[in-house]
Amino acid sequence: MFPEALEYHIAPYISNFVKWLLHTCGPAFDSFSSSLITIMVQIEHGLLFVPWWLWVIGITFLSWRITRHTGKTILPAVLLMTVGVLGLWDIAMETLSIIIVSVLLALIIGIPSGIAMAVSNRVNTIFTPILDAMQTMPSFVYLIPALMLFGLGKVPGVVATVIYAVPPVQRLTNLGIRQVSDSVQEAALAFGATPWQLMKEVRLPLAMPSILAGVNQTTMMALAMVVIASMIGAGGLGEKVLVATNRIDVGAGFEAGWAIVVLAIIIDRLSQGAASKFDNTSIQR
Amino acid sequence: MNNISETYLLEVKNLWKVFTKDNAECNVYDAAAVKKLEAAGGVVAVRDVSFKIKRGEVFVIMGLSGSGKSTLIRCLPRLIDPSSGSIMMNGDNVSEMDQQQLTEFRRTKAAMVFQHYGLLPHRTVLENVSFGLKLRGVDQKDREMKAEQAIEQVGLKGWETHYPSQLSGGMQQRVGIARALVQETELLLLDEPFSGLDPLIRREMQEELLRLQEQLHKTMVFVTHDLSEAVRLGDRMAVMKSGEFVQEGTPQEIIMHPADEYVQRFVQDEQKITLMMEQESKTSNVRTLPVRSGDRSEKAAAGTRR
């Protein structure tokens, strides 16, 4: 037994800090909350405004552009149809809107901070343990403060999803830039590239395959988190899964789960395909 | 003074580069301090090197790997900052330039060709060649026109839209040379540009460079570990060993009168070839092997350098 005398809890301090944050910055969080929700509602309306058949045609067209392969073109469209057939179309679109907003926020945060990590070793040392913590901390743990600061609903769901989804793109941006060959960078410097030009003309373009792999990873992480975020009322397919779990309704759970898998497959295929277009290492002799 | 800087484009005086673990400052003129640094694991890559290069001259720095020759050539445009010493070009002190002046210097005064080409894999040949002009802010039309000319000069016409990975090593280095030529700088720095190429291509590229030099009259600093290359290309050359110049002179002087045993070991094969060649030319009028070094020996004998 660990001696009780040595026991010390930091839990009250953290709780107090979050409470203090809530008191002092409450209005700021509220306005952030309401503007985010407005954006999300708009996006969801937009997604639902597009009729289902146009979605199917659009996805078919995109996957044809990317794969140029009959089977790979038809599959995503057929999968998407099954979501509608299962009666989960509107809810899937709700989930998609959460994912779009979360991924956009994650990229806005992740890519610039990944660049900062690549440029400065100090920033790198500071961020690395934070990213490790973000990835290993059970996601339920930061659902609680998100819930307290932003209330129930989609916004804390998005915040928690962003926290969960940022690390891959940030890490891979950093890694991609650091892996750019020294000889190419040296040549660019020898021809008088400023640090900004070096980043824009050499380092970022050459890191692009890695960055896009990060974007893909981040999207997949966001999808995984959407189910967990339903616990604080983010809605969407995750909520269906949650309800089915509570009722021990295997069938309904499977249907909702299936729809999530379909979204994942489609997003993964499309983003990977788009990434391979950027892959400059694929230009081989 | 004025007279000197008119004949000499580049003057390097007492250049030192000491690599230390923490990039510590050191007084390199204090011999004891340098010894101490070396003992502590510091590496003296360039040790008190001075030389002058005339306008239009090809100056070859030759040495084995680890002799500091690549560090030395990188010190000239300060890709590596020298520890001490001065680099004067056209009366401008490169070693005292601030970042902005240095960027300007690299854009307009000196262009470099690298052993590993350093081409941008995601850009076409045309975009690679015009890269330096793009950095300078030349607009697209002008830079593509100039790049086209340079591409034609190095014999790559028709390859503009290819990517570096689609080209052979020799062709990639032609792109590297075109990229340097398009800058229209007076000084060209070449760091073992042909070392990665197979012997036949290397020979071809050397001929190509000599042909270009006849048209362009650039001032070149050429680093190599290959004596025959040094002899073929150099108007003057320096042999480098552990960061120091062991001997400096025309290729002819160095082959015929090596300053010490180290240089002697370097040049013995070339001496044999030269001897064989002389015997050959006595018996027949057909000259075979190093045609260029033959040319040079005649020039050296006449005592005139460009």
Side-chain angles (χ1 to χ4, degrees):
Chain A
M1 265 288 273
F2 197 78
E4 233 170 85
L6 291 177
E7 205 169 285
Y8 186 78
H9 287 282
I10 53 167
Y13 297 101
I14 292 168
S15 301
N16 282 338
F17 172 72
V18 175
K19 272 181 200 152
W20 171 82
L21 210 59
L22 196 57
H23 272 290
T24 46
C25 312
F29 285 117
D30 285 347
S31 64
F32 173 79
S33 235
S34 60
S35 48
L36 197 62
I37 203 85
T38 322
I39 295 168
M40 292 181 66
V41 169
Q42 292 296 329
I43 289 175
E44 202 185 321
H45 278 297
L47 294 176
L48 284 171
F49 180 77
V50 179
W52 69 270
W53 48 268
L54 197 56
W55 271 104
V56 174
I57 294 172
I59 295 290
T60 312
F61 175 71
L62 274 180
S63 41
W64 172 248
R65 282 286 305 272
I66 289 165
T67 61
R68 307 268 171 192
H69 181 283
T70 322
K72 286 175 186 165
T73 304
I74 295 170
L75 185 72
V78 172
L79 289 175
L80 191 62
M81 292 279 286
T82 63
V83 175
V85 170
L86 293 174
L88 295 168
W89 188 272
D90 289 11
I91 297 171
M93 288 302 152
E94 195 182 345
T95 295
L96 193 58
S97 74
I98 300 172
I99 291 168
I100 289 173
V101 172
S102 308
V103 168
L104 283 179
L105 283 175
L107 299 187
I108 290 170
I109 298 167
I111 293 177
S113 50
I115 293 172
M117 280 172 81
V119 170
S120 153
N121 282 332
R122 183 177 292 178
V123 175
N124 190 30
T125 346
I126 294 169
F127 262 119
T128 306
I130 296 177
L131 290 177
D132 290 340
M134 277 161 80
Q135 284 187 304
T136 43
M137 182 77 81
S139 39
F140 297 99
V141 174
Y142 44 77
L143 283 181
I144 312 165
L147 184 66
M148 285 180 74
L149 295 173
F150 300 100
L152 268 174
K154 286 188 168 55
V155 176
V158 166
V159 171
T161 308
V162 168
I163 295 173
Y164 189 68
V166 159
V169 73
Q170 189 171 345
R171 277 184 203 277
L172 283 166
T173 301
N174 176 28
L175 185 73
I177 293 173
R178 282 177 184 268
Q179 276 178 343
V180 173
S181 97
D182 284 340
S183 64
V184 178
Q185 295 192 54
E186 187 183 41
L189 285 176
F191 283 90
T194 59
W196 165 244
Q197 284 175 326
L198 184 67
M199 183 57 80
K200 181 168 147 285
E201 303 285 340
V202 180
R203 301 180 85 183
L204 279 180
L206 291 182
M208 206 38 103
S210 174
I211 295 174
L212 289 172
V215 173
N216 177 277
Q217 286 294 301
T218 286
T219 315
M220 293 297 111
M221 300 279 277
L223 251 170
M225 187 62 189
V226 154
V227 181
I228 297 164
S230 69
M231 291 183 68
I232 47 172
L237 291 167
E239 198 182 348
K240 285 272 173 191
V241 175
L242 191 70
V243 171
T245 313
N246 290 341
R247 293 187 188 151
I248 322 182
D249 184 344
V250 183
F254 182 82
E255 284 189 356
W258 171 256
I260 291 172
V261 170
V262 168
L263 282 185
I265 291 174
I266 293 174
I267 295 173
D268 183 52
R269 285 296 163 83
L270 293 186
S271 62
Q272 269 191 18
S276 69
K277 297 255 152 182
F278 272 90
D279 193 347
N280 42 52
T281 55
S282 68
I283 310 161
Q284 292 295 336
R285 276 207 269 168
Chain B
M1 262 325 269
N2 221 356
N3 232 343
I4 291 170
S5 59
E6 263 169 33
T7 35
Y8 292 105
L9 178 71
L10 190 72
E11 294 181 57
V12 173
K13 262 189 213 145
N14 307 106
L15 201 75
W16 285 78
K17 177 64 198 178
V18 188
F19 290 107
T20 51
K21 274 178 193 148
D22 45 359
N23 286 323
E25 291 282 317
C26 65
N27 180 8
V28 291
Y29 293 107
D30 181 353
V34 173
K35 275 217 178 86
K36 215 168 147 190
L37 260 170
E38 280 185 291
V43 177
V44 181
V46 178
R47 191 189 296 267
D48 201 13
V49 167
S50 303
F51 58 91
K52 289 178 184 176
I53 301 176
K54 286 184 199 138
R55 283 171 204 280
E57 183 177 55
V58 179
F59 185 73
V60 177
I61 299 167
M62 196 189 72
L64 297 176
S65 50
S67 61
K69 58 192 193 303
S70 280
T71 307
L72 175 58
I73 199 172
R74 275 170 177 71
C75 282
L76 301 180
R78 281 176 52 197
L79 288 173
I80 294 174
D81 259 317
S83 305
S84 83
S86 79
I87 302 156
M88 299 289 289
M89 175 157 160
N90 256 346
D92 296 326
N93 193 340
V94 182
S95 37
E96 277 174 7
M97 286 179 175
D98 61 29
Q99 201 55 49
Q100 203 181 343
Q101 289 168 317
L102 195 60
T103 301
E104 194 55 31
F105 173 83
R106 290 171 182 170
R107 285 178 181 179
T108 56
K109 304 284 189 236
M112 195 155 173
V113 181
F114 295 88
Q115 180 182 1
H116 300 294
Y117 324 130
L119 302 177
L120 301 170
H122 62 298
R123 298 283 169 82
T124 61
V125 168
L126 186 67
E127 287 166 334
N128 263 294
V129 173
S130 56
F131 182 65
L133 298 174
K134 187 179 185 185
L135 294 178
R136 259 194 244 175
V138 177
D139 70 70
Q140 194 175 354
K141 214 173 164 186
D142 286 356
R143 68 174 188 250
E144 285 186 357
M145 207 179 68
K146 285 189 173 173
E148 290 279 4
Q149 284 172 4
I151 289 170
E152 205 174 335
Q153 273 181 323
V154 298
L156 278 183
K157 202 169 167 53
W159 292 88
E160 287 88 345
T161 55
H162 286 71
Y163 286 88
S165 57
Q166 296 169 307
L167 307 182
S168 68
M171 290 164 90
Q172 289 191 41
Q173 196 56 292
R174 283 170 194 265
V175 178
I177 292 170
R179 178 174 65 176
L181 290 181
V182 85
Q183 298 289 91
E184 292 174 331
T185 56
E186 214 176 340
L187 182 65
L188 272 188
L189 305 169
L190 302 104
D191 179 30
E192 302 205 38
F194 309 141
S195 297
L197 307 175
D198 64 60
L200 288 180
I201 304 288
R202 191 184 310 162
R203 181 66 188 260
E204 194 183 307
M205 296 294 288
Q206 289 162 355
E207 298 293 341
E208 186 88 18
L209 193 69
L210 285 168
R211 189 181 59 74
L212 284 168
Q213 175 64 354
E214 260 164 40
Q215 297 167 11
L216 303 167
H217 307 294
K218 300 265 182 190
T219 308
M220 296 193 204
V221 181
F222 193 106
V223 164
T224 182
H225 61 250
D226 177 1
L227 180 70
S228 61
E229 186 167 76
V231 169
R232 189 168 298 138
L233 300 176
D235 292 315
R236 276 192 315 128
M237 60 182 285
V239 181
M240 212 171 166
K241 184 194 168 194
S242 350
E244 283 175 298
F245 275 10
V246 208
Q247 192 177 3
E248 195 186 326
T250 64
Q252 188 68 19
E253 283 165 13
I254 286 177
I255 290 176
M256 289 312 164
H257 312 286
D260 63 7
E261 193 222 355
Y262 178 77
V263 183
Q264 168 68 37
R265 283 213 312 268
F266 243 114
V267 302
Q268 55 196 9
D269 290 342
E270 195 75 12
Q271 281 177 331
K272 275 183 205 154
I273 291 171
T274 316
L275 275 175
M276 275 161 55
M277 217 179 64
E278 276 168 6
Q279 283 169 356
E280 184 81 4
S281 64
K282 271 176 202 161
T283 51
S284 76
N285 279 330
V286 187
R287 287 196 299 177
T288 46
L289 258 166
V291 177
R292 285 281 163 183
S293 69
D295 282 347
R296 285 186 199 287
S297 60
E298 281 161 17
K299 260 196 233 167
T304 49
R305 309 299 299 165
R306 217 186 295 272

